Amino acid sequence: MGLLSGLEKFGLEQMDTTNLFEDEKKPKAEQQGQADAPKEEKHLETEFLLLKSIRCPVCDHVFRTRLVKTGRVKRLEPDFDLRPRFAYIDTNKYDVSSCPKCGYTAINRYFSHITSGQVKLIDQGVHSKFKANTLVNAEDALEAYTYEEAIEYCKLALYCTMVKKGSTSEKAYECLKLSWLYRGWREKLESEGTNDRELLSNVKAEEDAYYKQAYEGFMKAIASESFPMCGMEESTVNILLANMAFKLEKYDVSSKLVSAILTSRVASRSVKDRAMTLKEEIIKKLH
Ligand SMILES: [Zn+2]
């Protein structure tokens, strides 16, 4: 018996319903094209990218790095934990610069902020061993990064931060970026309807593992470092951590951070609003 059986009485013929949803998207798009409603916008990630020359503070090599044209991208509502989201591009993929000659890699905001002592450490610990990756040549082509490439660079940044004995917050931030990259990758795979269950579960496992690292790192950092931290004010770090703690089911920690935000004299309206929303979520979970 077909899904639409019984309609014969209306004079309608039987229809094959075995693949009811298969072509759902396609006819919709065609319909949109036919009506002279605004055409569906299609954008490539490269439209929002530019190449910028920068000098490596370790080996002095000048190279071109891929950056986001910040004026052109359209901001969307961020995730619960402030992961920035934009239309048509995952800007998280372009937060890292990597010198193709010596291997020195860092999140852009830290790239040129390196002490002479740290330059020596990178020289010994990275430059002396580094084999330039000729397959991934960032120099000439303005191509979008795949998630694999972006993750590779972010891991290289974390490696360099460990070698240069960078701050706890910098390492935590890199772990958070990595977790966000894996999240972006997972979402992409899911939206494409991948059949590769193994890849999907590996990506999810990495996303979770880096998330826990980031959480632990930031919890240590707020006890030992001063603000702003990774460009974030205290209340921003607190709302980030409160949301992370919530996701990790550490409701007591989350609740304490929320209280600190709600009683803060300097926290902005929008941060307090987020804290209020989270407070309601915590109450729901505890009941
Ligand atoms: Zn270099």
Side-chain angles (χ1 to χ4, degrees):
M1 208 160 87
L3 282 173
L4 297 175
S5 61
L7 295 183
E8 297 86 342
K9 65 180 173 200
F10 297 114
L12 302 172
E13 298 151 18
Q14 263 297 351
M15 269 196 275
D16 180 10
T17 54
T18 38
N19 295 307
L20 186 61
F21 301 112
E22 200 167 57
D23 295 324
E24 194 173 51
K25 275 180 187 163
K26 215 169 143 198
K28 222 179 182 178
E30 277 167 9
Q31 262 175 21
Q32 270 183 5
Q34 279 164 6
D36 45 42
K39 54 190 182 295
E40 199 187 320
E41 282 190 85
K42 283 221 165 154
H43 288 284
L44 295 171
E45 213 162 276
T46 44
E47 290 173 42
F48 305 98
L49 295 176
L50 57 93
L51 286 169
K52 190 183 174 218
S53 292
I54 54 171
R55 183 179 297 276
C56 172
V58 174
C59 72
D60 245 10
H61 179 61
V62 175
F63 66 98
R64 299 205 291 170
T65 190
R66 286 168 233 196
L67 292 179
V68 175
K69 290 177 186 165
T70 45
R72 283 213 53 197
V73 287
K74 188 174 155 224
R75 188 178 278 277
L76 305 174
E77 185 65 20
D79 279 352
F80 66 96
D81 58 5
L82 313 178
R83 178 182 70 142
R85 288 174 60 248
F86 293 88
Y88 313 115
I89 182 170
D90 185 349
T91 56
N92 289 307
K93 291 199 277 181
Y94 304 95
D95 272 347
V96 164
S97 286
S98 181
C99 173
K101 199 175 168 206
C102 75
Y104 170 60
T105 304
I107 286 183
N108 290 327
R109 70 164 49 250
Y110 296 107
F111 192 79
S112 43
H113 299 120
I114 181 170
T115 65
S116 53
Q118 288 178 321
V119 167
K120 268 186 204 149
L121 289 170
I122 294 288
D123 215 24
Q124 291 157 5
V126 180
H127 191 179
S128 62
K129 306 168 190 172
F130 186 70
K131 285 186 200 135
N133 188 349
T134 49
L135 288 175
V136 186
N137 190 351
E139 289 264 28
D140 301 312
L142 180 54
E143 282 170 18
Y145 283 138
T146 61
Y147 276 103
E148 290 96 319
E149 286 168 334
I151 285 165
E152 204 170 85
Y153 284 126
C154 203
K155 283 183 182 172
L156 203 49
L158 179 59
Y159 184 90
C160 286
T161 305
M162 290 167 80
V163 169
K164 75 181 181 190
K165 301 187 195 302
S167 66
T168 303
S169 61
E170 188 175 344
K171 282 182 274 188
Y173 197 48
E174 283 153 351
C175 289
L176 182 63
K177 290 270 177 196
L178 276 162
S179 181
W180 283 348
L181 284 170
Y182 279 109
R183 189 188 299 171
W185 191 6
R186 174 173 59 78
E187 288 170 352
K188 181 172 181 280
L189 291 168
E190 285 168 353
S191 73
E192 291 166 353
T194 180
N195 290 320
D196 195 339
R197 307 308 300 173
E198 198 187 341
L199 174 64
L200 201 55
S201 91
N202 287 343
V203 167
K204 179 81 179 88
E206 294 289 312
E207 178 188 346
D208 293 346
Y210 280 109
Y211 209 68
K212 283 197 190 104
Q213 290 291 320
Y215 173 76
E216 280 172 31
F218 273 121
M219 287 303 281
K220 268 188 197 162
I222 57 168
S224 58
E225 294 179 30
S226 54
F227 295 95
M229 189 179 285
C230 313
M232 295 180 281
E233 295 301 333
E234 184 168 4
S235 58
T236 309
V237 176
N238 281 346
I239 192 69
L240 167 70
L241 272 171
N243 277 296
M244 291 179 82
F246 181 81
K247 189 169 193 277
L248 295 168
E249 298 179 355
K250 297 172 193 294
Y251 302 122
D252 51 334
V253 179
S254 186
S255 175
K256 263 187 206 164
L257 289 160
V258 163
S259 302
I261 296 161
L262 292 176
T263 55
S264 161
R265 287 177 189 188
V266 290
S268 69
R269 186 73 256 159
S270 71
V271 169
K272 288 202 177 194
D273 286 347
R274 282 181 184 278
M276 273 311 292
T277 311
L278 183 56
K279 190 180 176 180
E280 285 158 21
E281 296 288 316
I282 296 168
I283 291 168
K284 262 189 233 163
K285 282 283 175 190
L286 294 179
H287 283 285

